[in-house]
Amino acid sequence: MSDKKLIATLSENYAGLRLDKALAELFTDYSRSFLQHCLVDGLIRVNGNTAEADTKVTGGEQVTFMLPQAEPSTAVGEALPLNIVYEDAHLIIVNKPANIVVHPAAGHRCGTLLNALLHHCPSLETLPRGGIVHRLDKDTSGLLVIAKTRASHFNLVSQLQHKEIERHYIALARGQFISSGKIDAPIGRHPTDRKRMAVRQSDGKTAITHYRIAHQYTTHTRLDITLETGRTHQIRVHLSHIHHPLFGDPLYGGRHYRIKGWQPSQLDRLSTFNRQALHAARLLLKHPHSGALCSYHAELPDDMQRLFALFDENEQHTPG
């Protein structure tokens, strides 16, 4: 049992849902199956009482979630490069390059961001997920926040749960957009391909993405994106869902194709971009110790700078 707890109220928006599903939407940093185990273990109480996972929510229930103690990490520290944007006694902000996995998993037991962090700060092994508060896909670059203490981890997870951490991305998507907008479509595991996520209206978790047109090209659009929720592959799935997949993302329909009017040499240069065009450029959060509002920024990596320069060079553009 832990002495840290999250307290929340299930709003009327959750009325009619199974309790475990409502909790998974409320406590977005934890999986539904994990929350089911916590219900069984009595770590989650509703109106002061234990409850079953299949209990129907009516709205207004008070939920208390006693956060379980973290098991020591089995990952090993490795002397790998880390691009640290900011660090103090309470947190670390890193700028993750593309082609780096955040947590060890099957096929990626070493060489991950967590391995590098554990070498840099070995005490992270005592924190949930090594102190890493949120994730980025392997081929997405940009900013991540890591807690260095239990108090900081609890505070930052709570901020994430209450949508108080702002995450801003820069992306290149296929096609032209009529206007800026919002995508509100629940996301869950793809029914047949376990490597993919998909929009699932019946049983997906709430997922909301806001996007703003930064620049229109003739065949693509540069977008500024803000996440309201943080589901796995959320931006990639949502943009694919509205038929504007990220450039360079073959998993969700954004594979390279020959752009009409471009010269072969230019297309060859374009083909060297070998990931989804997505970069986590800015983080806004309250410092977990001082409470001060902090903003962190990561410049576009070289490969995305070259990508946008190539589009600027080769395409007509109109005001966005």
Side-chain angles (χ1 to χ4, degrees):
M1 184 75 73
S2 167
D3 59 352
K4 296 296 185 181
K5 61 185 177 182
L6 297 175
I7 299 174
T9 301
L10 290 172
S11 73
E12 293 181 357
N13 294 334
Y14 297 116
L17 292 180
R18 283 173 52 110
L19 177 60
D20 57 350
K21 179 171 172 55
L23 292 173
E25 295 195 5
L26 185 64
F27 300 115
T28 57
D29 201 42
Y30 301 95
S31 70
R32 187 170 174 179
S33 61
F34 176 79
L35 293 167
Q36 289 169 345
H37 287 296
C38 289
L39 284 166
V40 172
D41 292 340
L43 296 175
I44 299 176
R45 291 181 174 267
V46 179
N47 294 331
N49 302 310
T50 58
E52 301 292 333
D54 60 357
T55 302
K56 294 296 183 183
V57 173
T58 59
E61 292 94 335
Q62 298 295 309
V63 176
T64 303
F65 182 12
M66 301 298 295
L67 297 176
Q69 294 282 0
E71 295 293 330
S73 174
T74 58
V76 177
E78 297 179 56
L80 302 170
L82 270 177
N83 184 352
I84 296 177
V85 175
Y86 175 83
E87 181 177 10
D88 61 20
H90 308 280
L91 55 77
I92 307 172
I93 307 292
V94 300
N95 182 7
K96 185 188 83 70
N99 200 36
I100 296 293
V101 173
V102 173
H103 287 98
H108 298 281
R109 295 297 181 188
C110 58
T112 72
L113 181 67
L114 180 58
N115 295 118
L117 287 167
L118 289 174
H119 180 269
H120 174 74
C121 184
S123 63
L124 293 177
E125 70 175 359
T126 65
L127 299 179
R129 299 180 180 177
I132 298 172
V133 175
H134 59 111
R135 294 171 293 177
L136 291 176
D137 296 339
K138 174 186 175 184
D139 289 328
T140 298
S141 57
L143 297 174
L144 283 167
V145 58
I146 297 95
K148 293 180 71 174
T149 68
R150 285 190 175 277
S152 292
H153 186 266
F154 174 77
N155 180 281
L156 291 165
V157 167
S158 182
Q159 286 189 53
L160 197 65
Q161 173 206 344
H162 290 97
K163 302 178 182 178
E164 295 173 347
I165 296 180
E166 293 186 19
R167 290 162 288 173
H168 298 264
Y169 294 75
I170 296 171
L172 183 67
R174 180 182 296 176
Q176 287 196 327
F177 287 69
I178 297 174
S179 64
S180 301
K182 177 177 79 170
I183 307 169
D184 185 348
I187 291 176
R189 187 68 60 182
H190 192 281
T192 59
D193 186 347
R194 303 304 293 174
K195 293 182 179 180
R196 299 173 60 195
M197 306 299 286
V199 168
R200 296 177 64 96
Q201 296 293 346
S202 61
D203 59 358
K205 292 183 179 180
T206 299
I208 301 173
T209 302
H210 300 266
Y211 60 88
R212 184 181 67 83
I213 297 171
H215 195 90
Q216 291 273 32
Y217 298 100
T218 57
T219 59
H220 291 74
T221 303
R222 176 169 171 163
L223 298 172
D224 291 333
I225 294 173
T226 305
L227 289 181
E228 189 169 324
T229 56
R231 306 304 178 194
T232 301
H233 298 180
Q234 178 172 317
I235 294 173
R236 301 166 66 189
V237 172
H238 271 174
L239 288 178
S240 178
H241 178 65
I242 63 170
H243 309 295
H244 292 287
L246 286 173
F247 180 86
D249 186 4
L251 189 63
Y252 292 103
R255 68 178 66 252
H256 294 297
Y257 67 97
R258 296 187 68 81
I259 302 176
K260 185 177 180 180
W262 285 41
Q263 299 299 314
S265 61
Q266 297 163 344
L267 292 172
D268 287 343
R269 289 160 60 195
L270 194 64
S271 68
T272 63
F273 189 85
N274 57 3
R275 66 177 178 104
Q276 64 261 13
L278 185 63
H279 175 67
R282 191 168 174 235
L283 268 178
L284 279 83
L285 53 85
K286 293 177 183 176
H287 191 278
H289 181 70
S290 70
L293 185 63
C294 301
S295 178
Y296 306 98
H297 183 261
E299 294 291 339
L300 276 176
D302 290 344
D303 63 344
M304 285 190 67
Q305 289 191 39
R306 290 192 297 269
L307 178 67
F308 285 123
L310 193 55
F311 272 85
D312 288 336
E313 172 188 329
N314 287 284
E315 297 208 337
Q316 297 177 346
H317 30 266
T318 57

